[in-house]
Each structure stands twice: as structure tokens, then as C-alpha cells.
Amino acid sequence: QAPLVESGGGAVHTGESLRLSCDFSGYNFYGGNCIGWLRQAPGKEREGVASVSFSPDVPSPYYADSVKGRFTISQDNDKKILYLEMNNLKPEDTAVYFCAAAGPPYAGTWYQVGNCPVGYWGQGTQVTVSS
């Protein structure tokens, strides 16, 4: 099973930008039809950030209120890469960001990222925003 592989994190200052990438080539979506991003800040619960559906019948994309207007999720279906363009970053965006998708039926923990249920995620990439 090829994992979901994130990249692009780093340390920036308030107002700067980063673009995260997730290679999902070869991933078995276990029948799921969406993919997205979670994040987990120090001492906080993991939360959904954004998701996109592969189905035209599902409203997409989804953004958490905290990132609307600043983050953009997109995908390159030929290269099987998911992106998260993050602009006007704030210190409260500091977190480990995980690319996430539907997991196997035996996955123990699931999160809902808008209309996208996710039960599998990659190792994550650290984003640190300092003022």
C-alpha cells in the first residue's frame, strides 16, 4: 500500500505563503471518492482543513471557516498530486498538516472533512508560522 506522502512544509512569518503537496499516486482509496487535508496544532485535536471530491454530485471543495479565503485546495489528476496553497499565513496556522483520504474498513479513527470522511493519512509535514 503506497502511503500518502506530504511535502512542502516549513517555517515562515505572518502573511507569507506555503504550498503543500501530497503524492497520492498508487493509493487505494478503498471506494472513497475524495481527499483532503487535516492539521493538528500542539495540544489540540486534529481538525479538517480542506477537501475535494472526485464526484461531480458532491459539493466541493470544502474549507474550514478558519482558512476560507486564504487556503486553496487543488489537484493534478494526471500526476496524482493534491495541493494546498496557503496564503496570508497566521501563527494559529502552525500545525502538522496531513494529507488524508478514505481508509480501510478496519481503520479505527475517522474524521469528517466537510463531505469527505477520512480514515488514513500520511506522516504529515510541519508548518510553523511566527509573528
Side-chain angles (χ1 to χ4, degrees), residues 44-93:
K44 294 190 176 181
E45 298 267 328
R46 197 163 292 188
E47 62 175 357
V49 177
S51 65
V52 61
S53 174
F54 302 134
S55 170
D57 299 325
V58 177
S60 177
Y62 159 85
Y63 296 100
D65 288 342
S66 57
V67 306
K68 278 181 184 176
R70 301 187 298 121
F71 289 14
T72 302
I73 189 171
S74 62
Q75 65 204 84
D76 183 325
N77 286 326
D78 292 332
K79 295 181 180 179
K80 304 298 184 188
I81 298 178
L82 180 73
Y83 299 103
L84 185 67
E85 184 76 36
M86 306 186 296
N87 297 317
N88 191 21
L89 282 161
K90 304 175 181 180
E92 51 264 44
D93 295 316

